[in-house]
Amino acid sequence: MAGTRRHGAGRGRPTLEEVAARAGVGRGTVSRVINGSPRVSDRTRTAVEQAVAELGYVPNRVARALAANRADAVALVIPEPETRLFAEPYFSDIIRGVGAELADTDLQLLLTLIRTPKERQRLADYLSAHRVDGVLLVSVHADDPLPDLLERIEMPAVLSGRRSAHETVPYVDSDNTGGAQSAVEHLIGRGRETVATITGPLDMYVAQCRLEGYHAAVRAAGREVEAELVASADFTEEGGRRAMRQLLSRRPDLDGVFAASDVMAAGARQVLREKGRSVPGDVALVGFEDSAVARHMDPPLTSVRQATEEMGRAMVRVLLEEIAGRSDRTAKRPQMVLPTQLVRRESS
Amino acid sequence: MAGTRRHGAGRGRPTLEEVAARAGVGRGTVSRVINGSPRVSDRTRTAVEQAVAELGYVPNRVARALAANRADAVALVIPEPETRLFAEPYFSDIIRGVGAELADTDLQLLLTLIRTPKERQRLADYLSAHRVDGVLLVSVHADDPLPDLLERIEMPAVLSGRRSAHETVPYVDSDNTGGAQSAVEHLIGRGRETVATITGPLDMYVAQCRLEGYHAAVRAAGREVEAELVASADFTEEGGRRAMRQLLSRRPDLDGVFAASDVMAAGARQVLREKGRSVPGDVALVGFEDSAVARHMDPPLTSVRQATEEMGRAMVRVLLEEIAGRSDRTAKRPQMVLPTQLVRRESS
DNA sequence: ATCACAGCTGGGAGCGCTCCCACCGTACCT
DNA sequence: AGGTACGGTGGGAGCGCTCCCAGCTGTGAT
């Protein structure tokens, strides 16, 4: 009865044991070679490596995960509504970066889209069960309970973006304040006198930062910040339209607009066209994100580029560190801010 | 020595055994309840369910996967270059659909981006090792060896799109021919006399189909298909520009263009503007894909919408069938074609 | 020659589950 | 009453690996 295989699939795949037999060594030794332990003689190592090659041995990750109580996987969690709200490229660029950086590891990338509270609960269970080694969280809201849950169960995690200025969890963010500031300085530098801004939802830290950058640039130019020149929206095209109408009715004399996202800039552009204002002739327009939308607008939109793909890569690096360095509890949490860059196009 | 736990993480998570003890039954019985086997008495089932609830038991997928020789995961394979080439929304909409449909299952979604031949090889190894239960392949080229490999190792797989008219592997595709045809019929119906087309790379079946639809519509209108009116490109914006210039120099009298992708239409639009042709006044323009680009063009682009998210969902459904029904080898491979829909906007 | 102590090595135990076989009872037949 | 059948159940074996401990060398110190 011994040796009877029950399952068809996977049949014939060599196991550690078989490699050991062929190399004339014990299981433990093969395991050590596979995992690159230094305590193996060169002689033995060579023998094992040859056996591995001959048999075409590939370790069974599942067995490994079970025995070592690791998962060999990280989860990328994406709150679904966000992918609709934010311009798509952000989302896919992050994935690209994450995927690229993970390719060198042998960690699997698990993608988790969260739509409903039920699914969020399910994820929480899943994570509590330690079925992944770490978590990458994209665009978390300030009131999201997930980061705290992760903290509690000691699951390594990295956020893209901060929830507030005093973020405690490791994160990778881009320099929203600086980017916004440079955008507005650019507008002012081009001689615009009355520069307005369309903000994102101000309960989001990212929107606060971009507004903060606007303020900074206005003040740096020795001007007053006028409340009339600030309209807040929600990162959507429709929101951009509404805010632009508001702004135009309040201050018909405005000649520059900084929108905190390209999509809102697109909405604003439409309203400007409706009202017969030329861009950049009458009104200069700048966006944020440098998404495909910016390039395809007419005229092409000046925008602040964030290194989104690089953010994905950085997140993985930080997460890997977190996973490795969990031991020393005192270590400071790695947090990094990536620079942005103004991309000048015809809209300003 | 018995019962000594070595690993810290996961400590305290109840196991099947503990649930069994608490419910006063055997391991096998608990397993049956968990997996919804019908051969359990109501009495016992209730007792087990209570124990599960009290202990907060969550099955360990890794152990399950090892024991059952399943992986409880499917891989979504995305050839990296494609995600740059194709407009992004396609890619993220597919993911959205796949994620949504998978949420009801307890399969994990593994995302695999393929950039280099080395990574492709790695994936091949990985799949050969049966570490996933099935594979979703996005936009495969005709010469991609992956589908055949999968066939060989009997790994369930579903393609998005076909490689040729005689695709043998299960797939989900949209009605490219029909969509293109309706687009061109629309142009002709609006009174356009000289309708040209910008095609994708003709070694891709999807490009062939869209061209085929163009031909069909032209012929259906009782006209000749003129080679001069066909310019092929590569689904990129730059390609669209080049093709448009070609077309314009060959046939300055053209008054309608069907571009086989929105991105190429965007390129074409730029050239038309350069050359002083108004849209839709002088030239009516239609794209394919109905991506964000289409909505943000000026004027907004009429385009053929494909139900991309639904394609993702359908792919999962088909894959699940494949995984389940692997037993009867004679069953026909499920293949489905989703309808498209013309979305009219101001460009035509 | 003896002892100690390395560096290597083999292999038992165990990770948490599924599979399957043997077994128990009860209901139904002859 | 004995036989048959079958729904329901317990638990051994095993999935392929990692961990760890004991043991086995060979070397250098004594």
Side-chain angles (χ1 to χ4, degrees), chain B residues 14-38:
Chain B
T15 69
L16 240 206
E17 193 98 39
E18 295 171 49
V19 175
R22 175 152 200 141
V25 300
R27 260 187 4 266
T29 304
V30 177
S31 176
R32 254 160 265 152
V33 171
I34 299 295
N35 294 293
S37 156

Side-chain angles (χ1 to χ4, degrees), chain A residues 90-104:
Chain A
Y90 180 77
F91 161 64
S92 57
D93 282 352
I94 288 262
I95 291 187
R96 212 193 307 281
V98 168
E101 195 71 27
L102 237 31
D104 306 327

Side-chain angles (χ1 to χ4, degrees), chain A residues 6-7 25-29 32 40-41 44 66-67:
Chain A
R6 279 170 284 122
H7 313 297
V25 301
R27 257 183 12 262
T29 304
R32 254 160 265 153
V40 181
S41 68
T44 313
L66 179 61

